[in-house]
């Protein structure tokens, strides 16, 4: 059976892009992925994730990745929720598949996974509606095919963050709880009176940083 797994990286950070990846495999190869150590990327150290990346890609029938840049996130969030945006991008990946996939396993950000499946289906092309979608919480730790997608998404996003750090210095991971991220944000806003250009302006962390400086939210366009 041909199946696919989908996962994202960078959903929660206030800095940087969100990355969504899809991996397509034959179920006969699931054991091979497990044997090389494929699992939820959060359970794998960074160097190990990088070493697994090429191996994962080699064992897939197809893989695709969407890098959702901050500018697009900010623009879409004027109208849509983050769950809706993620569902759109997941549907885009499924619609672009060349392989005939029977099932797609998705790591649901919604506490009611069925609702997230319904969101995805709204954006699927007619010829993809026959695909069975298994939307579950923590699917990246339950299904190796989703774990494989999580590795590609995570390594891809880490490289995007590295590019930002090369230009702006250490911004941390981009997550609001990261002390390096909080320090960078506070210092940048204090010095420049505005958010860094890679900020998600609707995140509470960014809004608070501007409020503390006494600055209004930046315009999108």
């Amino acid at each position: 059976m041909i199946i696919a797994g989908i996962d994202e990286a960078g959903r929660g950070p206030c800095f940087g892009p969100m990355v969504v990846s899809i991996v397509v495999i034959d179920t006969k190869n699931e054991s091979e992925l497990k044997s090389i150590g494929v699992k939820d990327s959060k359970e794998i150290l960074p160097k190990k994730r990088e070493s697994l990346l090429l191996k994962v890609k080699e064992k897939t029938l197809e893989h695709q990745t969407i890098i959702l840049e901050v500018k697009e996130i900010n623009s879409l969030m004027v109208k849509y929720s983050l769950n809706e945006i993620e569902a759109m991008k997941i549907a885009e990946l499924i619609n672009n598949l060349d392989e005939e996939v029977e099932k797609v396993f998705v790591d649901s950000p919604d506490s009611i996974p069925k609702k997230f499946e319904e969101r995805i289906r709204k954006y699927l092309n007619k010829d993809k509606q026959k695909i069975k979608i298994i939307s579950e919480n923590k699917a990246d730790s339950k299904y190796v095919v989703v774990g494989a997608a999580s590795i590609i998404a995570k390594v891809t996003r880490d490289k995007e963050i590295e590019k930002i750090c090369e230009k702006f210095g250490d911004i941390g991971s981009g997550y609001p709880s990261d002390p390096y991220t909080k320090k960078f944000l506070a210092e940048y806003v204090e010095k420049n009176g505005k958010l860094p250009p890679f900020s998600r302006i609707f995140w509470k962390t960014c809004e608070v940083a501007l409020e503390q400086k006494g600055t209004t939210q930046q315009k999108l366009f």
Side-chain angles (χ1 to χ4, degrees), residues 108-153:
S108 171
D110 197 312
S111 59
I112 305 174
K114 183 65 177 176
K115 285 176 62 178
F116 193 61
E117 177 194 342
E118 291 167 357
R119 285 182 190 270
I120 296 168
R121 285 207 177 276
K122 287 192 302 182
Y123 301 103
L124 286 184
N125 294 340
K126 188 176 180 180
D127 65 320
K128 302 296 184 182
Q129 289 291 342
K130 62 184 179 181
I131 296 174
K132 184 174 182 179
I133 298 175
I134 294 90
S135 174
E136 293 185 15
N137 300 130
K138 298 184 178 179
D140 48 2
S141 61
K142 297 176 183 176
Y143 305 103
V144 69
V145 68
V146 183
S150 78
I151 289 171
I152 294 177

Side-chain angles (χ1 to χ4, degrees), residues 63-104:
H63 59 84
Q64 297 179 29
T65 294
I66 291 174
I67 299 174
L68 187 59
E69 299 290 356
V70 162
K71 185 176 181 180
E72 186 176 2
I73 293 172
N74 289 338
S75 179
L76 287 170
M77 286 200 71
V78 172
K79 186 176 180 181
Y80 302 104
S81 69
L82 190 59
N83 279 5
E84 193 75 13
I85 294 167
E86 187 176 338
M88 290 176 188
K89 296 304 172 181
I90 287 173
E92 184 179 335
L93 287 170
I94 296 172
N95 287 334
N96 289 334
L97 286 177
D98 293 322
E99 291 286 338
E100 289 288 329
V101 171
E102 292 184 44
K103 293 181 182 179
V104 176

Side-chain angles (χ1 to χ4, degrees), residues 108-209:
S108 171
D110 197 312
S111 59
I112 305 174
K114 183 65 177 176
K115 285 176 62 178
F116 193 61
E117 177 194 342
E118 291 167 357
R119 285 182 190 270
I120 296 168
R121 285 207 177 276
K122 287 192 302 182
Y123 301 103
L124 286 184
N125 294 340
K126 188 176 180 180
D127 65 320
K128 302 296 184 182
Q129 289 291 342
K130 62 184 179 181
I131 296 174
K132 184 174 182 179
I133 298 175
I134 294 90
S135 174
E136 293 185 15
N137 300 130
K138 298 184 178 179
D140 48 2
S141 61
K142 297 176 183 176
Y143 305 103
V144 69
V145 68
V146 183
S150 78
I151 289 171
I152 294 177
K154 178 61 175 168
V155 173
T156 301
R157 185 177 190 277
D158 285 349
K159 291 187 182 301
E160 293 299 308
I161 293 299
E162 285 174 12
K163 292 177 187 176
I164 296 173
C165 289
E166 286 173 6
K167 186 174 181 180
F168 291 90
D170 187 2
I171 68 165
S173 63
Y175 283 86
S177 59
D178 186 331
Y180 291 99
T181 295
K182 289 192 286 189
K183 181 175 183 290
F184 177 89
L185 178 60
E187 290 178 352
Y188 188 96
V189 172
E190 179 63 31
K191 180 180 179 180
N192 299 282
K194 61 181 181 179
L195 294 171
F198 42 83
S199 301
R200 301 183 188 180
I201 64 173
F202 293 105
W203 264 240
K204 188 66 177 177
T205 306
C206 292
E207 291 177 347
V208 169

Side-chain angles (χ1 to χ4, degrees), residues 34-77:
K34 290 177 182 177
S35 70
I36 62 173
V38 172
K39 54 185 175 180
D40 178 6
S41 63
K42 295 187 290 295
E43 299 175 10
I44 307 172
L45 294 173
K47 286 187 177 180
K48 178 65 173 177
R49 283 197 299 259
E50 287 193 33
S51 70
L52 280 173
L53 182 65
L54 185 58
K55 295 176 184 177
V56 167
K57 289 182 176 181
E58 287 175 345
K59 293 184 182 298
T60 66
L61 296 172
E62 185 177 353
H63 59 84
Q64 297 179 29
T65 294
I66 291 174
I67 299 174
L68 187 59
E69 299 290 356
V70 162
K71 185 176 181 180
E72 186 176 2
I73 293 172
N74 289 338
S75 179
L76 287 170
M77 286 200 71

